[in-house]
Amino acid sequence: MLNKLHDALRLRTSPPIFFGSALVIILFVIATIVFTDALAAGTSAASDWLMTNLGWFYISGVSVFLLFLIYMAVSRFGRVKLGPDDEAPEHSRGSWFAMLFAAGIGSILMFWGVAEPVSHLGDPPREGVEPNSVAAAKDAMTFTYYHFTLHTWTIFTLPALCFAYFIHKRNLPPRVSSIFQPILGERIHGKIGKAIDIISIVGTVFGVAVSIGLGALQINGGLAQLFGIPESALWQLIVIGVVSGAALISVALGLDRGIKVLSNFNIVMAVGLLIFIAIAGPTLFMFNGVFQSFGQYIQELPQLAFWNEAFQNTGWQNSWTVFYWAWTISWSPFVGIFIARISRGRTIRQFVSGVLAIPAGFSVIWFGIFGYASFDIELNGEGGLVERVVGEGDIPGALFAFLEFFPLTFVVSLIAMILVIIFFVTSVDSAALVTDTMANGHEDFNPLAQRIFWAVAIGVVTATLLVFSGAGGLEALQTTIILVGLPFFVMGYFQMYALHRALREDGGELPPVRTRRWKKVLPPEEVERRTDDEDDYGHEYDDEEEVVVEPQAEDPVPQFRDPYVPPPSRPARGRNGTLSSRTGSRKLGYSYQTRPGSNGNATGATTRTSDDDSGSSGN
């Protein structure tokens, strides 16, 4: 039936994955609108339970992912190429850096650039720190860097590395289920694989919807600041409609004329805004602060990575860190596929170091400039930002309240609002393209209607979460995304195992290092005693182990042999055979033929053939 419906709609996708994902999204929208109060109460209760009992799982999980990525980069697998072994990188280093840079300055930075540092300045995370103090400012930047540098990009890097390996190395479909191929085998195309892809697509839609919801709140706040437009559900719906409509136009124009043009424009505008703040604000104070806060962040990173409020239990971390990690991981497949696409031909070591360092480095600069400019206003200037953000809870309007303290306020605020809008348009556009790719399982031509459907779905889910969920603004977004993020964290551990197993299969397990065996060495007088059948104490020595006075090897230094090639005289059999059999890969069925010498007698030359070879060897 699904196939008939698929053909009738003239689609070109996987019917179970496409319709399964669409059905979950439609049922959520209907249930939220019809059963608003009951669903809101249930979602809130489940979210509270998760934050109370599994907050440690979210927090420790990201740190474990980071340690795994560092291990992959420094291990022998770090030299493995994400693609054919003899293939050069698809993009030059400069172009690759630029695209990673573009990925690092998204909507997150625009929304939280001012709101995060100011929130922690007025409401310090740790007990005993006085609000609006120098100590609070230092802690505010440390926690801001913790939330938006290495750990955030770890969440993106892990699935991105898995995508890059299984798409470029094993040539599997661009789906989350492909990452589980070492575990599931051909079942990635079966029910389990389809279930994984449905969960991933729905989670990606919800994750991007939360981002668009934050953007709608921020744009509505900017319109209220500039034009006196009220902050209401009606105007938020209008904003969501405009953003979704612009995204549909970008989708119709295609990748080169849509996403690419808007992204390049975004980069120029974002860097321009950053330079303007750096010049118009307290420049020396900001640059000094960036370096100082980065050093403090590095110093406190080991402690922050596993900090769980075990003694305080104020709930602060659930509202901030747990929300961030759950939100980020829910749309990590979307960012992961983008990063994997542009990284073909890079080694794992280059990939991990580049993807972690470049966007995180830009985040350090961005939040440092905006954060210290905000601190200067609050600690050395007129103030009012803390009251606006913390006292009134106007987090979406933080950026525009901040820009009131700079020259050309109206013009710069208008530019910032346009920048926010374009960021969210490109987010919807890119997410629609990637989501359609995950549903299809390939990156070839697909009907435009499919990408339009995903763009509309993101807009509808955003409106449902923000306006019809029964809770207000950020609370509704936080409650939902914490639930959505849980299965992604669970899948993250399986992704680590699958990637490591695939690398062991493809790159090979190194055999144990074989060394010479040595005889046991005893003092000369003890050797003399033991040469007698019986010593003075009546003890007999029948030790079969030969002992010597000076170090003496029992055998010569072992000769290294290629672990992939068994010796001709002893073909591989079972678990003690070739590397492929030891790592669980398919046996190639090698056989060995002896080539006759010129005199007709057999020589030591052998030829290795495979059951997969079409021709014969050894002639």
Side-chain angles (χ1 to χ4, degrees):
M1 184 179 71
L2 290 180
N3 290 330
K4 292 182 179 179
L5 179 61
H6 172 274
D7 296 339
L9 295 175
R10 302 179 63 84
L11 301 176
R12 187 181 176 183
T13 183
S14 172
I17 296 176
F18 180 87
F19 290 115
S21 304
L23 179 62
V24 173
I25 292 171
I26 292 171
L27 289 178
F28 169 80
V29 171
I30 294 175
T32 302
I33 295 175
V34 176
F35 306 104
T36 302
D37 295 336
L39 191 64
T43 303
S44 178
S47 176
D48 291 341
W49 187 91
L50 282 179
M51 287 190 295
T52 302
N53 297 281
L54 292 180
W56 61 270
F57 179 71
Y58 289 77
I59 293 167
S60 60
V62 182
S63 297
V64 171
F65 298 163
L66 176 58
L67 294 176
F68 173 79
L69 291 172
I70 294 173
Y71 159 73
M72 295 302 298
V74 302
S75 70
R76 64 190 181 93
F77 296 128
R79 294 182 296 150
V80 174
K81 274 197 173 183
L82 301 172
D85 293 336
D86 56 352
E87 183 178 82
E90 186 174 7
H91 300 284
S92 67
R93 186 173 299 174
S95 299
W96 187 58
F97 283 1
M99 285 185 281
L100 288 177
F101 172 80
I105 58 170
S107 53
I108 298 175
L109 304 187
M110 292 298 296
F111 188 90
W112 296 106
V114 174
E116 172 97 354
V118 172
S119 294
H120 302 335
L121 176 68
D123 183 18
R126 302 190 226 212
E127 288 184 341
V129 178
E130 183 182 352
N132 297 334
S133 64
V134 173
K138 292 179 180 179
D139 263 8
M141 290 309 304
T142 300
F143 277 90
T144 299
Y145 284 164
Y146 168 54
H147 285 154
F148 292 106
T149 53
L150 285 178
H151 276 68
T152 286
W153 283 95
T154 290
I155 297 174
F156 293 142
T157 306
L158 177 61
L161 177 59
C162 294
F163 277 126
Y165 188 84
F166 288 99
I167 292 174
H168 300 320
K169 196 74 172 180
R170 290 202 169 181
N171 293 313
L172 293 172
R175 287 174 170 166
V176 175
S177 59
S178 296
I179 299 174
F180 297 86
Q181 187 266 342
I183 303 173
L184 299 176
E186 294 183 358
R187 287 179 294 174
I188 60 172
H189 303 301
K191 293 181 180 180
I192 298 177
K194 288 180 172 61
I196 291 173
D197 291 324
I198 290 173
I199 292 172
S200 302
I201 289 173
V202 172
T204 300
V205 169
F206 275 79
V208 177
V210 170
S211 297
I212 306 306
L214 294 176
L217 293 173
Q218 188 175 30
I219 293 169
N220 194 185
L223 292 172
Q225 189 83 13
L226 296 177
F227 304 107
I229 293 175
E231 298 185 49
S232 62
L234 174 62
W235 277 101
Q236 289 163 12
L237 285 175
I238 293 173
V239 169
I240 293 171
V242 170
V243 170
S244 300
L248 292 178
I249 297 174
S250 180
V251 166
L253 291 175
L255 182 63
D256 291 333
R257 292 185 298 167
I259 299 175
K260 185 176 181 180
V261 173
L262 290 176
S263 297
N264 291 336
F265 183 67
N266 259 12
I267 293 172
V268 174
M269 288 186 65
V271 174
L273 178 63
L274 181 67
I275 293 174
F276 171 79
I277 299 299
I279 295 175
T283 306
L284 183 60
F285 176 66
M286 288 187 289
F287 281 107
N288 285 338
V290 168
F291 285 98
Q292 178 174 310
S293 292
F294 180 70
Q296 185 171 345
Y297 159 69
I298 295 297
Q299 180 182 354
E300 296 193 26
L301 180 59
Q303 184 261 336
L304 287 177
F306 296 97
W307 182 59
N308 278 288
E309 279 195 306
F311 295 103
Q312 293 179 239
N313 196 24
T314 62
W316 179 93
Q317 201 169 34
N318 292 334
S319 301
W320 290 93
T321 309
V322 174
F323 164 67
Y324 280 149
W325 295 168
W327 170 35
T328 306
I329 205 170
S330 65
W331 59 307
S332 60
F334 155 48
V335 179
I337 286 185
F338 166 74
I339 297 174
R341 278 180 172 180
I342 66 175
S343 302
R344 183 183 178 95
R346 300 282 167 191
T347 66
I348 289 179
R349 185 169 296 133
Q350 291 171 336
F351 181 93
V352 172
S353 59
V355 177
L356 283 180
I358 296 170
F362 185 80
S363 296
V364 167
I365 298 173
W366 182 278
F367 281 100
I369 294 297
F370 279 86
Y372 274 90
S374 302
F375 295 161
D376 182 69
I377 293 171
E378 195 64 31
L379 301 178
N380 304 322
E382 301 177 20
L385 287 178
V386 169
E387 176 60 28
R388 176 81 174 266
V389 175
V390 179
E392 301 176 10
D394 187 14
I395 291 179
L399 174 63
F400 300 101
F402 165 80
L403 292 176
E404 288 184 347
F405 295 90
F406 288 83
L408 304 174
T409 298
F410 182 84
V411 175
V412 176
S413 298
L414 186 62
I415 292 173
M417 188 166 62
I418 294 173
L419 183 59
V420 171
I421 293 173
I422 296 177
F423 267 128
F424 288 105
V425 168
T426 55
S427 294
V428 176
D429 188 354
S430 304
L433 179 62
V434 171
T435 304
D436 188 47
T437 299
M438 288 194 291
N440 303 334
H442 60 84
E443 298 178 290
D444 298 330
F445 169 77
N446 291 299
L448 177 62
Q450 294 176 190
R451 299 197 301 275
I452 290 178
F453 168 79
W454 294 116
V456 171
I458 292 171
V460 172
V461 171
T462 303
T464 303
L465 289 174
L466 204 57
V467 179
F468 301 106
S469 62
L474 283 175
E475 182 183 352
L477 302 178
Q478 289 175 330
T479 300
T480 304
I481 208 60
I482 287 171
L483 298 178
V484 174
L486 180 61
F488 285 90
F489 272 101
V490 175
M491 285 194 290
Y493 285 92
F494 288 98
Q495 289 175 358
M496 290 190 293
Y497 171 77
L499 177 62
H500 190 255
R501 176 172 172 176
L503 283 164
R504 288 166 54 201
E505 291 178 359
D506 298 344
E509 283 185 297
L510 288 180
V513 177
R514 301 189 63 84
T515 59
R516 290 183 294 180
R517 292 174 296 174
W518 294 79
K519 297 178 181 180
K520 187 174 183 179
V521 177
L522 292 174
E525 60 274 12
E526 184 64 21
V527 174
E528 184 177 353
R529 294 189 193 103
R530 295 194 181 196
T531 55
D532 298 333
D533 293 337
E534 185 176 333
D535 61 14
D536 295 340
Y537 298 95
H539 182 76
E540 294 183 1
Y541 296 96
D542 56 354
D543 192 356
E544 297 179 358
E545 183 179 17
E546 185 178 358
V547 296
V548 294
V549 176
E550 296 180 357
Q552 181 180 342
E554 290 186 353
D555 48 16
V557 177
Q559 298 296 316
F560 177 77
R561 177 177 57 80
D562 187 347
Y564 291 95
V565 182
S569 60
R570 188 178 60 190
R573 288 293 183 271
R575 298 296 297 175
N576 296 323
T578 61
L579 177 75
S580 58
S581 66
R582 295 200 308 273
T583 57
S585 299
R586 183 176 61 85
K587 295 181 180 179
L588 297 179
Y590 291 130
S591 62
Y592 293 85
Q593 300 175 357
T594 304
R595 293 200 302 265
S598 58
N599 58 359
N601 297 325
T603 67
T606 59
T607 301
R608 185 176 66 171
T609 62
S610 171
D611 294 341
D612 295 338
D613 296 337
S614 57
S616 61
S617 302
N619 296 327

